[in-house]
Amino acid sequence: MPQIAIGADSYAAQFATLKGTAPAAGPLGSLRDDAFRCFDRLGFPTTRLEEWRFTNIAPIVDTPFQAAGAAAGSGREVVDALRPPRSGGPELVFVNGRFAPELSDASGLPPGVRVRSLAATADAEAGGLDALAPYLGRLARFERHAFTALNTAFLADGAVIEVDGGVLVDRPIHLLFASSSDAAPVLSQPRVLVVAGASSELRVVESHAGAGDVPYLSNAVTEVSVAENAVVDHYTVVREAPAAFHVGSLAVRIGRAGNFSSHAITAGGAIVRHEAGVVLGGEGGECTLNGLYLANGRQLVDNQTTIDHAMPHCDSHELYKGILDGRSRAVFNGKIIVRLDAQKTDAKQSNKALLLSEDAQITTKPQLEIFADDVKCTHGATVGQLDADAMFYLRSRALSEAQARQLLIHAFAADLLGHIKVEAIRRQLDALLLERLPMNGNG
Amino acid sequence: MLEIRNLQAKAGDRQILNGIDLTVSPGEVHAIMGPNGSGKSTLAGALAGRDGIEVTGGSATFKGQDLLELEPEERAREGLFLAFQYPVEIPGVNNAYLLKAALNEVRKHRGQPELDAMDFMTLVRKRMSLLEMDDALLNRPVNDGFSGGEKKRNEIFQLAVLEPTLAILDETDSGLDIDALKTVAGGVNAMRSPERSMVVVTHYQRLLHYIVPDFVHVLARGRIVKSGGKELALELEEKGYGWLDAEPARPAVASGVSLHETSTA
């Protein structure tokens, strides 16, 4: 595959340069080396791989992205324009994957919570990364995943959130990853590590946004460790620039009686791929994966989820909804694995898509691999249009056709909105859903 | 108020209305009765602008305007209200939200200022007590999980809030028990006024004990075959609809003229 060779060669040269300019000793250095070897071996995925069958990433492979340097990035104005509404909690800003302390505010955290950049953590003290070693690059496995390998190979910065056992963080921690290319297409590689101690509780909001007409690739990896009885509520809001590409992986491990929920909102970007992989690794764990994907024009949005029930008595709830307009396409692939030991598993999965135009398309596939015999697993997928009877009912109540559409589109997403506990995000989503309308028909 | 002349309409591929003539003057209540399949709901749908009902001939003017030219929402803003036979469940849309949006659209059209939340709630509470409605229904999604009676009550409640000039009640009585029927009828009667007209479409004459019409029309095979005062409803109760098959349809135009004379007399 010449395509892959070109991509890989370009990144090999960049990797060599990185090693020359920013040599990392110790575990981080060997992690990068391992990761690059994997990337080099795997190459970019093609549609011949089952997980990528409906997502052709040729535009990503064909673009010569340059790994963002330490000084690269946008100024305050660009970031301010991309800044999502906040709810008063701390906010860390990253520009093209690099921490921007002057744009960030990490104050007001209770004791027992550390929110830092990965670079600062690595510099802070000798062995600063040692405490993270069991998680960093371990939850998000790169051996079989080219994009995760690429991210890890260039691992230099990112957000590290550590919460000590028993600590409740009452305000959401916001992370903004702003990306933009100046002249040449930039490879921005956001990285997040969340380590939630036993019986701790926190809420994290990741916003991925960008600006400009030059394409960039945001290749994000987030790792979350949910210790015993901890509660983590996680939000991903992807609003990349129209010409941009976003590939994100969320890798989570939930300990005994831990509770993790993810709300993945994917709205902007030419190609957006979001993967969520959760391992229920302790008895009595609970996992919620919710997703809302919005696409228009010629956008492609691909959601891949894997919930691995490795232990007994765990529950998982999964609800993904898509609103597709124009000539957009969406892919949903929901895999649920129930291991032999995972008796009394209760897993529910549902994917619903609303097609607003004749040319929009959805490919949806549930994938259940069940090895235990005493389990409850349900899955369902529906694809539909706006209900004509409901449209007429609303119009007969004096609402314009546009208002009626808007109301029904909003209503379609209402149950997902109801699960969002960060008011600022809910408001942002309301606005996003309203934005859908004027674009209709132009796609 | 409403003038229907020789109205013909298709629902899907089937010709349902074969020349309806009807004149409704301000303040009048007209009952339209008829057996299943006679075209009652098609008539109501054609007047409200329902998709899938194609008017193939004739005319309908509402307050001097060509009703058939207007979009459904324009008809509503002009003051036409259809109480649905089968109110649509809309999960995710809050009942109060819809009602406020609807009312403000109507008010905007009338050149009135939009109501703020407080004034809106004051009006709503008044109208809710009229229909003995539970407060909780207001904050539930539109008709979602409502009982049959609650849905019909909600329709009349909307009518009471929106204060249309012409209300078309499409089988509002069907499926109601006697208590619910009395409540709904009470709501409708409270909204009767010299400026407001109503067209009550029903299969059963029982409703007309509670909403006493000024005129009764019998619809069969897409035509009005008989018109009269409220006593016609009693006759129907006695005789049922079976005799209609024997009765030839009266010429459409003649029926229209006679009605016109009656209603303006």
Side-chain angles (χ1 to χ4, degrees), chain B:
Chain B
M1 172 78 64
L2 177 69
E3 301 232 9
I4 303 174
R5 292 282 167 267
N6 193 26
L7 187 71
Q8 299 150 48
K10 279 164 106 171
D13 294 336
R14 282 181 55 216
Q15 189 71 37
I16 305 285
L17 301 183
N18 296 309
I20 301 275
D21 289 84
L22 180 64
T23 302
V24 179
S25 299
E28 291 176 353
V29 174
H30 291 245
I32 296 186
M33 303 189 65
N36 287 332
S38 57
K40 303 189 297 290
S41 282
T42 303
L43 176 60
L47 294 177
R50 184 189 282 276
D51 265 354
I53 295 177
E54 187 199 343
V55 174
T56 52
S59 66
T61 48
F62 175 50
K63 297 195 292 190
Q65 291 185 71
D66 183 353
L67 184 65
L68 305 175
E69 280 297 302
L70 301 178
E71 295 292 334
E73 59 269 32
E74 293 169 329
R75 301 180 195 203
R77 289 169 194 169
E78 285 294 334
L80 184 145
F81 180 90
L82 172 65
F84 281 55
Q85 180 181 6
Y86 303 112
V88 183
E89 296 190 11
I90 312 181
V93 174
N94 179 282
N95 214 13
Y97 181 91
L98 168 61
L99 201 55
K100 185 158 182 274
L103 179 61
N104 280 331
E105 282 305 321
V106 170
R107 289 180 64 91
K108 235 188 326 190
H109 187 76
R110 291 178 190 155
Q112 296 169 322
E114 295 191 13
L115 282 190
D116 64 22
M118 200 121 100
D119 291 342
F120 173 72
M121 281 317 292
T122 309
L123 171 69
V124 156
R125 296 228 180 279
K126 239 193 291 180
R127 298 312 194 202
M128 286 186 80
S129 63
L130 190 66
L131 284 146
E132 298 168 22
M133 263 176 72
D134 187 355
D135 257 26
L137 291 185
L138 200 57
N139 289 311
R140 293 216 332 237
V142 178
N143 294 321
D144 188 25
F146 286 27
S147 70
E150 284 171 338
K151 283 181 185 169
K152 296 298 177 78
R153 234 179 259 215
N154 196 36
E155 294 292 291
I156 303 307
F157 166 58
Q158 292 179 357
L159 186 163
V161 171
L162 296 177
E163 301 180 332
T165 45
L166 173 65
I168 301 165
L169 276 49
D170 189 5
E171 304 215 16
T172 298
D173 54 326
S174 310
L176 292 186
D177 62 40
I178 191 68
D179 291 333
L181 183 69
K182 282 179 182 169
T183 310
V184 163
V188 172
N189 286 330
M191 296 308 294
R192 283 177 84 155
S193 87
E195 295 82 39
R196 184 171 295 120
S197 313
M198 299 193 184
V199 174
V200 180
V201 173
T202 180
H203 184 83
Y204 306 102
Q205 144 318 308
R206 185 182 65 159
L207 174 70
L208 305 181
H209 287 309
Y210 301 98
I211 301 174
V212 181
D214 300 307
F215 303 97
V216 175
H217 312 284
V218 182
L219 196 62
R221 297 182 300 274
R223 279 199 178 87
I224 289 176
V225 294
K226 202 171 171 74
S227 296
K230 56 179 184 262
E231 63 288 343
L232 179 56
L234 298 172
E235 194 185 326
L236 283 171
E237 184 172 36
E238 227 169 84
K239 290 162 62 180
Y241 289 118
W243 58 274
L244 287 172
D245 292 331
E247 192 109 334
R250 288 162 57 191
V253 176
S255 142
V257 169
S258 72
L259 272 168
H260 191 72
E261 285 165 0
T262 330
S263 56
T264 50

